[in-house]
Amino acid sequence: LSYFFHHKPLHEREEGHLILPQPLNYRLPHIPTKPPSFLGPSFLNITAAPGTTVVLPCRVLNIGSASLSWLRRPQLTVLSSGNTLFSSSPRLRLLHFEGSPDWTLQIGPLVPQDKGTYECQVNTEPKQSRTVQLNVMAGSQLNDQESKGPGPALALQGDSSIARLQKTEILAPDTMRVEEGGTATLECVVTEHEVAPPYFTWYILGAPLDFSQHRGGILLQTEKKRRSSSSRLTLTRMSLSDSGPYTCSPAGGDNATIHIIVKEVENRNSFFSSEDNSATDWSLGSFWVMAWTSGLIMMALEV
C-alpha cells in the first residue's frame, strides 16, 4: 500500500525519465539580418519656386520588416506610413515600387505653405531618419532666381515636357567585355536636368557601392554642371567574379544599367612551358650524343 501512496514529487524524479516539451523551431540556428541603413546625406536643403514640383529623396537599404514614414515637423504630421499616403491633397505623391530602396515624396505644384522641415523615418530602435528642409521662394527671391538662370535644387518645372528631357545613361555598350586583370571605366551622365542630383549611388552586382565592404582598386569621381552631371566609376584589377550588372542610380532620376563580362586570359606561361620542355628534350638528347661519342673515342684509344 505504501507503494501506491508514496510517489515522489515531479521535481524530485530523475531528469532522464522526464519528457520535456520543446518548441518546434528550437533546433533552427539564428540567422543574422542586416539592419536598415540610409544612403545619401543626412540633411538636404531644397529651394524651389511656387508652382513647381519637387521630389524629396529617401533611399533605404535592407528595410526588411521595418516600416518607413514621412513626417512634417514641427507639427509631427504623419504624411505616409509604408505604402499608404495619409494626405488627401492631390499635390502629394509617394513614389515607390516593390523592391526599390527609394521612398520619394513628391510635392507639387508648390504653394508657400509647403515650406518646412520634412523627415523620412524608419521605425527601428533607435530610430533612424533623414531630414529635408524645403524653402519656397517669394518676391525678390524669384526675381533673383530668374536673373541667375538655373532652376532650384531637385525642382521639376510644372511643364511635364521639360521634365521628360532629363535622361540617365552610362556611356558604354549594354554589354561591356574586359580582360581579366584589366580596368573598366563607367561614366554615368544625367543630362537636361534642372539642377544636379544631390548624389549618385552605384550598385555593383546588385549591392550598393560601400568602400568599407567592397574590394580595393575602385575609384569614384563626381562632376556637376549647369545642365548635366556625371559620376565616373573606375574598377581596376578586374577578376572573373566581377562579371555582372552595374547600375547607376542618381537621386531623383532614372537608373541606368549595363553588364560587364570579364574574359579569362589564357595561360601566359604555356609558351614558356613548351620551351622548357623543348630545352629538356634537347638536353637529354645532347647527353646521349655526348655519351655515345665518348664511347667511340674510348674504343678508338684502346685499339
Side-chain angles (χ1 to χ4, degrees):
L1 291 176
S2 62
Y3 172 79
F4 292 103
F5 296 99
H6 185 66
H7 292 295
K8 291 185 178 179
L10 183 62
H11 66 273
E12 293 183 8
R13 299 182 191 179
E14 295 181 3
E15 260 186 41
H17 296 285
L18 294 178
I19 299 177
L20 300 177
Q22 296 285 356
L24 294 177
N25 63 345
Y26 81 103
R27 292 183 182 275
L28 296 179
H30 171 69
I31 302 176
T33 56
K34 292 184 178 179
S37 60
F38 283 89
L39 288 180
S42 59
F43 178 81
L44 280 177
N45 194 350
I46 295 176
T47 301
T52 62
T53 299
V54 295
V55 289
L56 313 185
C58 182
R59 182 168 291 176
V60 185
L61 297 178
N62 308 313
I63 191 167
S65 60
S67 178
L68 183 139
S69 302
W70 272 101
L71 310 174
R72 184 173 180 181
R73 292 184 176 276
Q75 302 91 338
L76 290 180
T77 304
V78 180
L79 303 177
S80 71
S81 179
N83 292 312
T84 304
L85 185 67
F86 293 128
S87 175
S88 60
S89 172
R91 298 186 303 106
L92 267 68
R93 289 183 61 196
L94 181 65
L95 307 180
H96 172 75
F97 60 90
E98 187 175 357
S100 170
D102 293 308
W103 301 76
T104 303
L105 184 65
Q106 177 178 301
I107 308 175
L110 282 178
V111 295
Q113 291 76 16
D114 292 325
K115 177 182 178 181
T117 303
Y118 296 81
E119 184 177 293
C120 173
Q121 184 184 100
V122 177
N123 64 339
T124 54
E125 189 58 44
K127 285 183 173 57
Q128 302 181 65
S129 63
R130 290 292 184 269
T131 304
V132 181
Q133 178 64 42
L134 177 60
N135 305 299
V136 181
M137 295 184 296
S140 60
Q141 289 181 308
L142 289 171
N143 297 330
D144 293 342
Q145 184 64 28
E146 290 176 0
S147 63
K148 291 178 183 177
L154 282 182
L156 307 177
Q157 299 296 331
D159 186 355
S160 60
S161 63
I162 297 177
R164 282 198 297 269
L165 294 176
Q166 181 170 316
K167 183 180 180 181
T168 304
E169 61 180 334
I170 297 176
L171 304 182
D174 292 339
T175 301
M176 183 178 183
R177 289 174 170 80
V178 183
E179 285 192 351
E180 185 180 8
T183 297
T185 300
L186 307 179
E187 185 164 6
C188 176
V189 179
V190 180
T191 55
E192 297 302 326
H193 55 53
E194 290 303 314
V195 291
Y199 58 88
F200 288 79
T201 302
W202 281 92
Y203 290 83
I204 298 179
L205 309 184
L209 175 59
D210 185 347
F211 285 101
S212 65
Q213 300 293 331
H214 282 89
R215 65 172 179 84
I218 299 178
L219 176 65
L220 188 62
Q221 298 169 297
T222 301
E223 183 179 6
K224 298 181 181 180
K225 296 181 180 179
R226 177 174 177 178
R227 301 296 296 181
S228 66
S229 300
S230 65
S231 176
R232 182 178 300 152
L233 180 68
T234 303
L235 305 107
T236 62
R237 306 192 303 272
M238 297 291 285
S239 64
L240 299 179
S241 61
D242 291 323
S243 297
Y246 288 75
T247 299
C248 170
S249 180
D254 296 330
N255 294 352
T257 301
I258 70 163
H259 285 75
I260 292 182
I261 297 176
V262 182
K263 299 185 296 183
E264 186 175 5
V265 177
E266 295 180 1
N267 187 5
R268 295 192 175 103
N269 295 326
S270 59
F271 174 78
F272 300 102
S273 299
S274 61
E275 280 192 345
D276 293 343
N277 293 336
S278 300
T280 303
D281 295 342
W282 182 87
S283 299
L284 290 173
S286 300
F287 171 78
W288 289 114
V289 170
M290 292 175 64
W292 181 72
T293 305
S294 300
L296 290 179
I297 294 174
M298 292 296 292
M299 290 174 63
L301 292 175
E302 290 178 359
V303 174

